[in-house]
Amino acid sequence: MYTLAIESSCDETAAAVLQDCKVQSSIIASQIEIHRKTGGVVPEVASRNHLQQLRPVLEQALKQANITPQELDCIAATSGPGLASSLLVGHTSAKALALALNKPFMAINHLEGHLLSPFLEQQHIPAHLALIVSGGHTMLVDVAAVGEYHLLGRSVDDAAGEAFDKVGKMLDLPYPGGPEIEKLAKQGTPSTFALPKGKVSEDPFSFSFSGLKTAVLYLLRKLDKDKSLWLADLCSSFQHAVCSVLVERTLYAVEKTGRKTIALSGGVACNGYLRNLLQQACKKEGITVHLCPPQWTTDNAAMIGYAAWARLQANIPATDLTEDVNPNQPFTVDNQGHLAPNRATKIPLTKK
Ligand code: KG4
Ligand code: ZN
């Protein structure tokens, strides 16, 4: 079975061809250089660029896979969450292709793409505990099977990647801040600055990174004007504060759910410090860990094609062509079995 997948939820225009679960081609046109000028993604600029990039990216993906559109068996695209105007470009094009070629269309949740990406190209996806750490979301999900996702916890304010990017901006680092902070942190000592960990005391499965961000802001006011004296140490301390709470809470969730496998995905999953910390902790506890290969951690279409293949394998039906994009599309259920929002809508009051 050949799947053509398109991803355009934020600032990468991507297309991939998969034969069953194996990637035949994966093309990504990144807009990072464009958004660097504004220090972040401007939605209208992103969607205009998707429009320009999509056709060449699609053609390249088909060419590299050595396949014609008529040989495809399924067309998949990200339907949410993401920026509405960006999602619409890839989603509408995929539906048009599916209609013209008379092939099934699979709408895929971007976060499900990330969640399954640590298993990319593998035939079997085991029940596991998933930690998704991307630019927009930080979630702990109990995965019983493909399509059966139970939300355990998430960030009540900023996502981990968002915290990296915002602190990067405070430090005048290029966008996105995550990889820049990791580079600088390698020269620093994590214990130099005592920063608050991103915990929510009432909920052991949730995260909160806005207090940590504010602590960095206040600390910056007190530090010497000569950045070279503290920049690497601050990056290292901040990175440690974010990563240690992620690992701590994931292991707590493993203990509570009894799962024996953890999977780490999303843009922040390519952070080497986080990967090491999680790997070491899992080794100690005898837990199997699947780290998403670095090339699939940030946005790509291969993970969308893989999720489409996995859903079809699990007998989940194709999507009707009348379906629209949903910028806040949920994909997990809460304790009552209701669809759970991906992002918390309000910050819980802290106990006095
Ligand atoms: O998953 P992704 O490509 O986009 C979303 O779906 O949000 O993740 C992008 C995020 C950005 O916030 C970026 O700063 C972060 O991943 N990131 C990193 C690293 N590489 C990318 N954060 C920390 N360390 C890295 N090495
Ligand atoms: Zn993403």
Side-chain angles (χ1 to χ4, degrees), residues 7 9-12 81 110-111 114 132-137 159-165 175-183 239 243 265-272 274 296-300 303:
E7 153 63 39
S9 64
C10 188
D11 58 347
E12 329 274 1
H110 180 79
L111 294 168
H114 275 305
I132 310 171
V133 270
S134 75
H137 302 88
E162 204 172 353
F164 267 99
D165 295 343
Y175 168 85
E180 301 295 326
I181 290 179
E182 182 181 10
K183 253 186 265 164
Q239 179 177 258
C243 299
S265 62
V268 184
C270 76
N271 182 287
L274 174 62
W296 307 126
T297 51
T298 45
D299 293 350
N300 64 84
M303 67 183 192

Side-chain angles (χ1 to χ4, degrees), residues 243-263:
C243 299
S244 54
V245 73
L246 289 172
V247 171
E248 212 176 275
R249 303 230 139 173
T250 305
L251 286 172
Y252 178 78
V254 155
E255 191 191 312
K256 291 291 160 198
T257 56
R259 295 278 182 224
K260 295 277 175 278
T261 304
I262 291 176

Side-chain angles (χ1 to χ4, degrees), residues 98-342:
L99 185 67
L101 296 166
N102 195 23
K103 302 289 175 187
F105 168 64
M106 291 295 283
I108 300 296
N109 187 296
H110 180 79
L111 294 168
E112 185 180 15
H114 275 305
L115 179 137
L116 298 176
S117 64
F119 302 97
L120 233 162
E121 301 206 305
Q122 291 179 28
Q123 292 274 350
H124 176 63
I125 298 165
H128 66 277
L129 194 103
L131 173 64
I132 310 171
V133 270
S134 75
H137 302 88
T138 299
M139 299 171 103
L140 263 177
V141 181
D142 184 54
V143 180
V146 170
E148 287 178 42
Y149 309 123
H150 180 217
L151 181 73
L152 297 174
R154 65 193 156 194
S155 174
V156 297
D157 39 55
D158 291 345
E162 204 172 353
F164 267 99
D165 295 343
K166 286 180 178 170
V167 167
K169 212 168 184 173
M170 285 180 206
L171 299 172
D172 291 324
L173 301 177
Y175 168 85
E180 301 295 326
I181 290 179
E182 182 181 10
K183 253 186 265 164
L184 287 161
K186 287 195 175 113
Q187 320 300 324
T189 309
S191 56
T192 312
F193 298 105
L195 293 170
K197 283 194 177 179
K199 287 187 184 178
V200 179
S201 44
E202 318 82 84
D203 182 355
F205 296 120
S206 291
F207 309 95
S208 166
F209 295 110
S210 71
L212 169 59
K213 192 184 63 189
T214 311
V216 172
L217 185 71
Y218 287 147
L219 184 60
L220 283 176
R221 291 181 187 160
K222 293 189 216 148
L223 291 170
D224 197 284
K225 280 208 165 50
D226 182 359
K227 264 190 186 175
S228 68
L229 297 174
W230 47 261
L231 186 60
D233 287 331
L234 181 58
C235 287
S236 180
S237 303
F238 168 76
Q239 179 177 258
H240 177 75
V242 175
C243 299
S244 54
V245 73
L246 289 172
V247 171
E248 212 176 275
R249 303 230 139 173
T250 305
L251 286 172
Y252 178 78
V254 155
E255 191 191 312
K256 291 291 160 198
T257 56
R259 295 278 182 224
K260 295 277 175 278
T261 304
I262 291 176
L264 174 70
S265 62
V268 184
C270 76
N271 182 287
Y273 189 78
L274 174 62
R275 293 170 83 89
N276 277 339
L277 219 56
L278 186 63
Q279 231 164 1
Q280 277 168 22
C282 287
K283 199 171 163 191
K284 212 168 128 202
E285 301 295 326
I287 297 158
T288 309
V289 60
H290 291 260
L291 302 173
C292 180
Q295 77 193 102
W296 307 126
T297 51
T298 45
D299 293 350
N300 64 84
M303 67 183 192
I304 302 302
Y306 182 65
W309 171 83
R311 287 179 78 82
L312 286 171
Q313 292 296 301
N315 293 320
I316 297 170
T319 314
D320 197 275
L321 289 177
T322 56
E323 290 287 313
D324 202 356
V325 298
N326 179 353
N328 301 311
Q329 193 178 80
F331 81 114
T332 56
V333 293
D334 60 17
N335 281 337
Q336 279 80 44
H338 301 133
L339 278 172
N342 302 314

Side-chain angles (χ1 to χ4, degrees), residues 45-106:
V45 174
S47 59
R48 283 179 190 278
N49 272 281
H50 283 308
L51 273 175
Q52 280 176 350
Q53 296 291 342
L54 188 58
R55 191 172 173 155
V57 163
L58 273 175
E59 284 171 352
Q60 222 182 321
L62 290 169
K63 193 172 167 204
Q64 222 176 75
N66 198 19
I67 191 171
T68 63
Q70 288 70 26
E71 288 173 279
L72 294 166
D73 299 294
C74 172
I75 315 291
T78 307
S79 49
L83 300 169
S85 52
S86 287
L87 287 163
L88 273 168
V89 178
H91 193 260
T92 311
S93 308
K95 287 201 293 185
L97 271 171
L99 185 67
L101 296 166
N102 195 23
K103 302 289 175 187
F105 168 64
M106 291 295 283

